[in-house]
Amino acid sequence: MIWSISWRNVWRNKTRSIVVISAIALGIFAGVFSTAFMKGMTDQRIESAIETEISHIQIHQPGFRESSEIDLLIDNSDSLINNLQKNPAIANVSRRIIINAMAASAETSSGIKLIGVYPKAESKVTTIHNKIIEGEYFKGVKRNPVVVGKKLAEKLNLRLHSKIILTFQDFEGNITGAACRIAGIYNTNNSLLDELNVYIKFTDLQKLTEIPKNTNHEIAINLYNNLTANDVSKNLSKEYPSLEILPWQTLKPELGYMSALMDVYMYIFIVIILFALGFGIVNTMLMVVLERVKEIGMLMAVGMNRLRVFNMIVLETIFLTLTGGIVGIIFGTIIAKYFSLHPINLTWYSQGLSAIGWDSRVYTSVNFQMILIVTVLVILTGIVAAIYPAIKALRNDPAEALRTE
Amino acid sequence: MSVIEIKNLHKIYNESEVKVHAVNGINLSFEQGEFAAIVGPSGSGKTTLLNMIGGLDSPTEGQIIVGGTEINKLKAGKLIDFRMRNIGFVFQAYNLIPVLTAKENVEFIMHLQGVSKQDREKRTKELLIAVGLGDRINSRPSKLSGGQQQRVAVARALASKPKFVLADEPTANLDSKSTENLLDIMEKLNKEENITFIFSTHDARVVKKAHRVITVEDGKVISDERK
Ligand SMILES: Nc1ncnc2c1ncn2[C@@H]1O[C@H](COP(=O)(O)OP(=O)(O)OP(=O)(O)O)[C@@H](O)[C@H]1O
Ligand SMILES: [Mg+2]
């Protein structure tokens, strides 16, 4: 019966309750939706970084990642790759030669990272071949085909099949160069990457640099399951202790942190919203208690004990808060769900976004665990906000409260 | 044995600068089945006396014994429970819970007492019929007249089968017809079910109906007549 009294009391002053409930609903809606938005954005960023750039695990000679020295080579890579391909957790493997180079067109030049790949193997590990916007992935050019990013092509004023001069040091330390032609132009939405990475055939680069056969700088591994990256790389490290074998979280620590950090940030955001709403709720409930001094006095006089009075006020507060919370959560989830299927287009914004590697179309990510936690937080807010008004209600002296005037 | 025994009761308010001796040495006893009015001018101490009998206020000095229990010695929590089980209250106003229907208001205390749903509903119906509101069972207080609300309050006060009912100016807000009606109902319940009623009033017509009239002035009983 106390439950039903509390619930009906919520609707006693409809206007006031609806104002409070709307405020709570809006706050929670904003919390849930922006969480889904940010989470979706982060997930996409991580996924695209893995797909276009880093893959799940990379193998190098220790020190190569820092110095990019041409002679820090992985030896016996044929047999190593053979063994890796037998590992049941590993889906695909691609070997790469990586050297710093200078790319020049007729007009200007730019520092780049020249990556030698076997097109077939590489296209099973990363998705650059899917991001080709002009030309084809290493097709249509006979001698020294290269694939460059849109950004670099614009910078050097190059078009499809244009000639591009690459200059770099060979294995002996001599400056050497090659005239290449652009077979394809890719665009990954990460303009940093698009300006820097130039892909060339592994065999071509091997000949040009005279790097010994059966060696290379980097082996990129694609796993069947992203979540096993840590374990698999640990096991491989035990097997090949002389090599540096790292999962994506360590290769790009900012991506790993980003995910965890985003979660923390979201909870802080929601707690701040709830905290602000909490004050509104306390204020409303204080008004309620003040208005009902006589009624509460009467209830205490006729036999409602302090615990029941306390519970009655707490329940009313929880009902009030939870009604708003549930409305907000439902709307937030529905709308976030909608935008998880129909991405939000931020093109008007996307120049800035793609400069730092973000996609301009955001698919929100609805996380049910988070929704559950938000619900619990809403109830907690109700309880905490109820305590002070409920204590105030207990201070009533029935004899005092009932003296009518 | 008396239902209520009051011995040398004093109440002094000294919260403000002037001490107010609101009840000044009252000795009284009430028997089962009495229909007693407490009268006296405004400020004479009627409310203070009733509040102390009902355990809503504590005496500065003296004893109040209800059915053998000295209620002024009970701890706060016990006292609330004692009130709920032994005393029915009717106040001048603010008697009912506005969000509950007449039926639910009457049921409320029985619910707190843990009476089974079946018994609760049976008794509620009987009581509301007894106060002439059998057809308004599901109305909320705001849909009832002042007199009807007070009748629901009487039914509510009786719901817990109390030893006695205290009513502080129950008719003060009512017109003369409703006043008479309420008094008739109280008298009928008193006669038929032998329920003890103690009520304060200013109203001469109410006084006329009482079987015992206790007059107080300046916190003292100046006359106590039985008819
Ligand atoms: N809480 C209080 N603090 C101080 N004085 C009080 C308090 N309550 C009542 N009094 C005083 O005690 C005296 C008795 O008051 P009480 O309310 O009992 O009178 P009453 O007979 O019920 O009057 P009325 O007929 O107007 O209801 C009055 O002088 C009143 O001012
Ligand atoms: Mg009074």
Side-chain angles (χ1 to χ4, degrees):
Chain A
M1 204 163 211
I2 288 182
W3 287 65
S4 100
I5 293 176
S6 294
W7 173 248
R8 292 186 207 174
N9 273 337
V10 170
W11 301 105
R12 227 160 120 174
N13 189 330
K14 281 210 182 67
T15 320
R16 182 174 63 202
S17 293
I18 286 173
V19 168
V20 177
I21 286 169
S22 309
I24 297 168
L26 257 165
I28 299 297
F29 168 81
V32 167
F33 182 75
S34 55
T35 306
F37 182 83
M38 296 306 271
K39 186 95 181 124
M41 222 165 151
T42 328
D43 287 356
Q44 259 170 275
R45 167 75 176 105
I46 291 170
E47 225 168 88
S48 91
I50 287 174
E51 276 180 0
T52 57
E53 213 181 325
I54 35 184
S55 70
H56 291 128
I57 295 176
Q58 289 183 3
I59 303 180
H60 304 100
Q61 198 61 252
F64 178 79
R65 286 195 314 134
E66 292 80 29
S67 68
S68 312
E69 296 284 354
I70 194 167
D71 53 356
L72 286 172
L73 288 160
I74 301 168
D75 296 320
N76 280 326
S77 45
D78 289 345
S79 74
L80 173 59
I81 283 170
N82 248 329
N83 280 341
L84 291 174
Q85 271 160 346
K86 280 181 206 143
N87 189 317
I90 292 174
N92 291 294
V93 180
S94 172
R95 64 180 105 186
R96 298 164 178 168
I97 294 173
I98 299 174
I99 56 172
N100 292 321
M102 187 63 79
S105 64
E107 283 141 55
T108 175
S109 66
S110 174
I112 57 141
K113 193 163 132 186
L114 189 58
I115 305 174
V117 297
Y118 284 103
K120 238 195 203 131
E122 181 67 22
S123 61
K124 283 179 187 157
V125 174
T126 59
T127 55
I128 294 292
H129 63 287
N130 284 336
K131 316 264 172 178
I132 301 289
I133 52 169
E134 264 183 87
E136 278 179 275
Y137 193 59
F138 290 110
K139 277 184 196 152
V141 172
K142 282 213 177 95
R143 246 176 72 83
N144 293 346
V146 293
V147 173
V148 303
K150 179 170 169 244
K151 190 89 186 184
L152 184 71
E154 279 167 6
K155 191 175 173 191
L156 299 182
N157 201 8
L158 293 168
R159 263 168 296 152
L160 197 62
H161 300 154
S162 294
K163 201 156 112 184
I164 176 172
I165 307 294
L166 302 175
T167 316
F168 45 86
Q169 274 190 331
D170 71 10
F171 196 59
E172 304 293 323
N174 303 317
I175 301 288
T176 176
C180 304
R181 269 188 203 280
I182 295 174
I185 298 174
Y186 68 89
N187 182 12
T188 62
N189 275 326
N190 180 347
S191 42
L192 227 60
L193 192 95
D194 292 3
E195 192 176 331
L196 196 64
N197 288 358
V198 173
Y199 295 89
I200 186 167
K201 279 188 175 168
F202 190 95
T203 42
D204 291 345
L205 190 57
Q206 193 175 46
K207 260 181 237 146
L208 290 166
T209 54
E210 292 168 22
I211 281 174
K213 287 236 160 80
N214 200 10
T215 66
N216 62 289
H217 293 120
E218 179 172 283
I219 295 173
I221 297 174
N222 207 15
L223 299 172
Y224 286 110
N225 180 356
N226 165 10
L227 298 174
T228 62
N230 241 318
D231 292 338
V232 174
S233 66
K234 248 179 228 153
N235 288 338
L236 290 176
S237 296
K238 266 182 225 147
E239 218 175 314
Y240 306 100
S242 66
L243 294 172
E244 183 188 72
I245 302 175
L246 299 173
W248 62 268
Q249 293 96 324
T250 318
L251 289 164
K252 287 265 170 178
E254 69 271 22
L255 291 184
Y257 298 148
M258 196 161 65
S259 186
L261 208 70
M262 203 49 91
D263 284 352
V264 173
Y265 167 70
M266 284 296 116
Y267 287 125
I268 292 174
F269 183 57
I270 284 173
V271 167
I272 290 172
I273 291 179
L274 285 171
F275 196 75
L277 291 171
F279 280 99
I281 298 164
V282 169
N283 187 39
T284 307
M285 290 313 292
L286 280 176
M287 273 162 77
V288 162
V289 167
L290 203 71
E291 272 172 14
R292 297 194 202 143
V293 165
K294 287 187 191 298
E295 188 179 320
I296 293 168
M298 179 272 292
L299 287 170
M300 289 168 97
V302 301
M304 200 157 159
N305 64 30
R306 298 163 68 81
L307 184 66
R308 282 172 169 144
V309 172
F310 190 86
N311 287 345
M312 183 178 77
I313 301 295
V314 171
L315 272 176
E316 181 171 342
T317 318
I318 292 175
F319 284 145
L320 184 75
T321 314
L322 201 58
T323 305
I326 285 175
V327 171
I329 287 170
I330 288 175
F331 273 100
T333 310
I334 289 173
I335 293 190
K337 194 85 206 165
Y338 176 83
F339 285 114
S340 74
L341 304 171
H342 310 83
I344 300 166
N345 203 330
L346 298 177
T347 323
W348 48 277
Y349 211 81
S350 74
Q351 297 259 293
L353 280 176
S354 78
I356 51 168
W358 298 83
D359 204 322
S360 61
R361 298 197 313 158
V362 177
Y363 292 83
T364 54
S365 160
V366 183
N367 179 344
F368 285 95
Q369 186 197 335
M370 204 225 43
I371 287 166
L372 202 77
I373 293 175
V374 171
T375 311
V376 172
L377 285 175
V378 167
I379 296 174
L380 276 179
T381 307
I383 294 173
V384 172
I387 289 173
Y388 181 60
I391 288 173
K392 262 286 204 277
L394 292 184
R395 296 241 176 89
N396 268 322
D397 174 19
E400 207 53 54
L402 280 164
R403 278 191 178 273
T404 48
E405 62 279 325
Chain B
M1 198 185 72
S2 331
V3 194
I4 307 166
E5 196 84 53
I6 298 164
K7 290 178 182 163
N8 189 32
L9 199 66
H10 289 264
K11 178 72 184 181
I12 300 169
Y13 290 111
N14 48 10
E15 289 133 39
S16 53
E17 283 138 42
V18 265
K19 276 193 188 177
V20 181
H21 217 132
V23 170
N24 191 358
I26 287 184
N27 291 285
L28 275 176
S29 74
F30 295 91
E31 307 299 321
Q32 179 69 41
E34 285 209 70
F35 198 64
I38 297 174
V39 298
S42 187
S44 56
K46 304 181 294 292
T47 298
T48 309
L49 176 62
L50 282 177
N51 280 351
M52 286 194 288
I53 298 174
L56 299 176
D57 215 345
S58 54
T60 312
E61 204 189 315
Q63 287 176 305
I64 298 156
I65 300 154
V66 173
T69 309
E70 200 175 324
I71 63 167
N72 46 301
K73 293 251 170 78
L74 290 176
K75 291 228 172 68
K78 278 253 166 69
L79 185 59
I80 289 183
D81 209 51
F82 186 87
R83 276 207 302 265
M84 179 175 78
R85 290 180 195 284
N86 297 286
I87 309 173
F89 290 91
V90 178
F91 305 103
Q92 184 181 327
Y94 303 103
N95 269 300
L96 305 176
I97 305 171
V99 294
L100 298 184
T101 62
K103 169 176 169 277
E104 289 165 333
N105 263 291
V106 176
E107 267 189 282
F108 180 64
I109 294 182
M110 287 189 274
H111 184 84
L112 295 184
Q113 286 178 322
V115 176
S116 78
K117 192 174 152 76
Q118 219 180 351
D119 294 352
R120 235 159 51 202
E121 292 198 336
K122 186 162 159 271
R123 182 150 177 83
T124 303
K125 218 166 188 178
E126 280 170 13
L127 284 167
L128 283 172
I129 289 169
V131 298
L133 290 172
D135 54 340
R136 304 306 301 271
I137 278 182
N138 291 317
S139 304
R140 293 228 182 154
S142 58
K143 297 276 177 331
L144 298 172
S145 72
Q148 288 170 328
Q149 288 181 30
Q150 288 304 71
R151 275 142 66 189
V152 176
V154 169
R156 197 266 322 267
L158 293 175
S160 57
K161 300 193 174 158
K163 290 203 171 65
F164 58 92
V165 175
L166 294 176
D168 191 10
E169 307 203 30
T171 60
N173 292 352
L174 303 184
D175 60 37
S176 57
K177 194 157 167 270
S178 304
T179 299
E180 197 165 325
N181 188 255
L182 187 71
L183 258 289
D184 287 345
I185 284 164
M186 281 164 59
E187 202 174 13
K188 185 187 82 180
L189 289 164
N190 170 260
K191 212 176 288 167
E192 287 170 7
E193 304 198 16
N194 200 30
I195 290 160
T196 313
F197 278 94
I198 303 167
F199 48 92
S200 72
T201 187
H202 280 296
D203 191 332
R205 282 163 309 179
V206 176
V207 179
K208 246 191 300 184
K209 297 250 180 191
H211 305 165
R212 177 183 177 188
V213 180
I214 300 159
T215 312
V216 287
E217 243 182 80
D218 292 333
K220 289 189 176 120
V221 176
I222 56 162
S223 83
D224 185 352
E225 299 167 36
R226 279 166 216 267
K227 291 184 216 164

